Structure formats: C-alpha cells, structure tokens
Amino acid sequence: MQSRIGDRQSRVPEWELLPPEDRSRSQRTSASLESRFRWLALIMDDFLRVPGTKLRFGLDPIIGLLPGIGDVTSAIVSAIAFVHAARSGVPKILLARMAMNILINELVGIIPGLGDAFSFWFKSNVRNYELLRRYSAAPARSRKGDWIFVIAVLSLLFVIVCAGLIVTVLVLEAITRFFFHR
C-alpha cells in the first residue's frame, strides 16, 4: 500500500511558472545566450545612429509607430528571447527583472508618441542584455534587496494597471450615458 501511494505522488506533476535553477547548465549556455541577447539588443535598440550625434536606436521604436500591432510585435520578439533565457536556466530573480524591463517598455509603449519616445530612451533589450552580461561575468545568488526591488516594481505596475482599468470603465460609462441617456 505504501509503495502505491508513493508511486501515485510521484506521478502528480509539479506546476511551476519557471524551471528550477541549474547552475551548471546556465554556465554552459551563458555564452550562446549572451550572444543572442547582444544581437537582439543591437537589432531592437541600437541598430541605427542619428547622423551627427551619439544617439542610437533600433527597430523597437520604429515598429512601435504602427498603431496597435507595433508594440505587440516588439513585446513578442522580447518575450521569445525571455523564454529562451528561462529555458536556459537563468536564475528566477534575473528573469523577473528582465520581464519587468519588457513590461515597463510595453506598458508605456501603448501611449501614442510618448511610448515611442520612451522606447527610444529606455531600450529594454539593451537593459536585459546588460543584466545577463553582468550575471555571466560574476554569477551571484539573489539578495533580499533584489526581491524587494522586484516586489516594489510589480506592486507599482499593479496599481498603474488597476488605475487604468478604473479610468477605462469610467470613460466607457460616460460615453454610454452620453449616447444612450439623452
């Protein structure tokens, strides 16, 4: 009876958002992962230079000019790299910081005009490449301050999203009253 219970428990899948950290595996793949993120950062954030200046930009702010589809396309490209990093065994705290960079870029990117200027300045893919490069140079365990930072930013983003939803509901309610309650 005991063995049946043990067998049954071993068959129950464990649900995780991200795979467990594996230091040896992440060190083996960090060089190839770093080169992929460097390439992505170059193409999406630093590919072109404004003539006569040191200002650089990539396809991210250009793609973002396409209403609706541009920011989604940029987010998908960044998300594919993020998933590859997760599958390569990058530590979860680093993945959380990378995800926040992508999320911040896309949330502000939704705002027409201002979002594209923000993408020109923020460069989420370059930030993610730098995070990965620093981790590859000196792998370190996450600290309490890292988690406090992640929780603070996620809390702020949650408040911003909730406020946006409330404003949207109020605007839709006002529009409905205007058109149907004359």
Side-chain angles (χ1 to χ4, degrees):
M1 184 72 159
Q2 185 71 2
S3 65
R4 286 184 189 171
I5 293 173
D7 289 343
R8 202 174 316 151
Q9 288 176 346
S10 66
R11 288 186 221 158
V12 175
E14 291 186 29
W15 296 96
E16 290 188 36
L17 182 59
L18 299 172
E21 297 174 14
D22 179 6
R23 281 282 205 224
S24 61
R25 185 172 157 211
S26 69
Q27 289 172 348
R28 286 192 311 262
T29 60
S30 67
S32 67
L33 188 61
E34 187 177 334
S35 66
R36 288 180 184 158
F37 268 81
R38 181 178 52 234
W39 180 83
L40 179 68
L42 174 69
I43 297 298
M44 294 300 286
D45 294 333
D46 277 341
F47 187 60
L48 303 167
R49 186 175 57 86
V50 176
T53 69
K54 292 183 180 181
L55 298 175
R56 300 188 73 77
F57 63 98
L59 296 179
D60 189 13
I62 296 171
I63 294 170
L65 292 172
L66 298 171
I69 196 169
D71 293 314
V72 172
T73 303
S74 176
I76 289 171
V77 169
S78 296
I80 290 170
F82 174 80
V83 168
H84 186 69
R87 294 182 70 199
S88 297
V90 171
K92 293 173 185 160
I93 187 68
L94 188 60
L95 290 172
R97 292 181 71 183
M98 292 171 133
M100 281 190 304
N101 286 336
I102 295 168
L103 183 63
I104 290 168
N105 190 45
E106 297 314 313
L107 280 176
V108 178
I110 292 171
I111 303 167
L114 179 65
D116 299 314
F118 181 77
S119 290
F120 183 82
W121 169 79
F122 188 69
K123 301 182 182 199
S124 63
N125 295 298
V126 169
R127 289 174 186 260
N128 286 346
Y129 167 66
E130 287 299 320
L131 284 171
L132 185 65
R133 190 180 60 75
R134 278 183 281 167
Y135 169 76
S136 296
R141 297 186 53 81
S142 59
R143 299 180 312 250
K144 185 177 180 181
D146 293 333
W147 286 105
I148 291 171
F149 172 77
V150 168
I151 290 169
V153 171
L154 289 176
S155 299
L156 179 64
L157 287 173
F158 177 76
V159 168
I160 291 169
V161 169
C162 287
L165 289 172
I166 290 169
V167 168
T168 302
V169 167
L170 293 174
V171 167
L172 289 175
E173 182 181 324
I175 290 171
T176 304
R177 266 189 278 147
F178 179 77
F179 285 114
F180 297 113
H181 295 289
R182 279 188 158 185

